[in-house]
Amino acid sequence: MLSKLIRYEWKAVARVCIPMYGGLILAAMLTHFLLGNLERFSSTLYDIITMAMSTLCFGLFMAAFVLTLIIQIQRFSKNLLGDEGYLMFTLPASVSQHITAKLVVAVLLDVLSGAAAILAVLALALDGTMWLDLPGDFFDMIVYVDWSDWLLLLEVLILCLAAGAVGMLHIYASIAVGHLARKHRTLAAFGAYFGFAVALNILFTGMLEIFVSSTWMAEIGRWFMELKGDTGGHLLMWLLILGIAVLGAGFFVLTRYLLKNHLNLE
């Protein structure tokens, strides 16, 4: 059932997001062409068209992230906690499956929007010959870059995906808490979001002060320094990933509990 929920969720967002990401890349390519031929086709009309296309490209850059976030939030709040929730919770799927489906597609949208933005930047910056050189440059990077650096890159990507997922779970938990209010649920959700952020900031600051002032933290630091090669750096990355995963699990459990035991679709 989870796979069906993911497919349904993907179809709901793809019809809006895919054209938007494609439009961003196309606008970047057209902007690159127009800017590259300013001297060749210099005229007032051409300058106006170039400025308009550059403005459109910048607007699509902003929309790729802002509208993606709005869609991610609406797919959770309206689809599960709005009028559609009556239908969604009659399906033979658990609350965990509903949340997971939303989360998987939300993270996928983060990846696609980021990839579209990178391709758009490359389209603006590179000319035709540079595009032809990209495969060779990438192959040289694969051959000459050390495996430890590739592992670090993989760890950074996993960390970014985990951070993106936790960010969405933070929003989901805030919306679920805000939905407990009888009135002004959107305002309550904003309050819950900032309340969680403040509480986490206080928690992390307190933990950092304890670690810095403790004698055993210095011993751990020396132990990290004595590890061979890049082992200490890789271990630190996985500890960060684990910490983010634990935080995400907390938001997930809270959201699941509220949707399962305190759901109010009135």
Side-chain angles (χ1 to χ4, degrees):
M1 190 62 190
L2 178 60
S3 61
K4 293 181 179 179
L5 289 174
I6 292 175
R7 284 197 298 269
Y8 170 78
E9 187 69 18
W10 170 248
K11 290 178 181 179
V13 301
R15 59 173 176 251
V16 176
C17 292
I18 296 302
M20 179 173 62
Y21 301 151
L24 169 60
I25 297 172
L26 180 60
M29 295 172 64
L30 291 175
T31 301
H32 175 84
F33 173 80
L34 292 172
L35 291 174
N37 291 277
L38 276 175
E39 295 182 359
R40 182 179 180 184
F41 302 106
S42 180
S43 67
T44 303
L45 179 60
Y46 189 87
D47 292 344
I48 293 174
I49 294 174
T50 302
M51 184 177 297
M53 182 56 65
S54 300
T55 303
L56 175 62
C57 185
F58 177 76
L60 287 174
F61 260 108
M62 299 298 295
F65 296 101
V66 176
L67 291 182
T68 294
L69 179 59
I70 292 174
I71 290 171
Q72 290 168 328
I73 293 173
Q74 288 185 339
R75 287 304 304 169
F76 182 84
S77 60
K78 292 186 176 181
N79 189 242
L80 292 183
L81 300 176
D83 294 336
E84 298 178 23
Y86 290 102
L87 175 61
M88 295 302 295
F89 284 107
T90 59
L91 297 175
S94 65
V95 174
S96 296
Q97 288 177 325
H98 281 296
I99 299 172
T100 302
K102 303 293 183 189
L103 181 63
V104 168
V105 176
V107 173
L108 179 59
L109 288 182
D110 286 339
V111 173
L112 292 177
S113 62
I118 292 173
L119 289 175
V121 170
L122 291 176
L124 284 171
L126 304 182
D127 57 23
T129 57
M130 291 180 179
W131 279 103
L132 294 177
D133 293 337
L134 274 182
D137 294 339
F138 183 73
F139 178 77
D140 291 339
M141 184 176 65
I142 293 177
V143 172
Y144 293 108
V145 172
D146 187 75
W147 70 269
S148 181
D149 295 329
W150 282 110
L151 179 59
L152 179 61
L153 177 61
L154 176 62
E155 292 163 351
V156 170
L157 291 176
I158 294 175
L159 184 64
C160 291
L161 290 175
V166 171
M168 288 310 307
L169 288 169
H170 183 181
I171 293 174
Y172 291 169
S174 302
I175 295 173
V177 171
H179 199 74
L180 297 175
R182 293 178 178 267
K183 297 180 180 180
H184 308 297
R185 289 176 172 174
T186 301
L187 183 61
F190 273 106
Y193 182 88
F194 289 109
F196 283 135
V198 171
L200 290 173
N201 184 57
I202 294 173
L203 176 62
F204 292 151
T205 302
M207 291 176 60
L208 182 61
E209 290 180 355
I210 293 174
F211 289 156
V212 171
S213 61
S214 61
T215 56
W216 53 269
M217 189 62 188
E219 295 295 331
I220 294 177
R222 280 194 291 270
W223 179 75
F224 265 98
M225 295 297 294
E226 292 173 357
L227 292 175
K228 294 182 179 179
D230 298 325
T231 305
H234 294 305
L235 181 59
L236 180 60
M237 287 295 295
W238 283 108
L239 288 175
L240 289 174
I241 294 171
L242 178 61
I244 290 177
V246 170
L247 179 60
F251 281 130
F252 185 96
V253 170
L254 175 61
T255 305
R256 178 183 179 277
Y257 172 80
L258 292 175
L259 294 187
K260 187 174 182 180
N261 298 286
H262 297 281
L263 182 64
N264 182 7
L265 296 178
E266 293 182 358

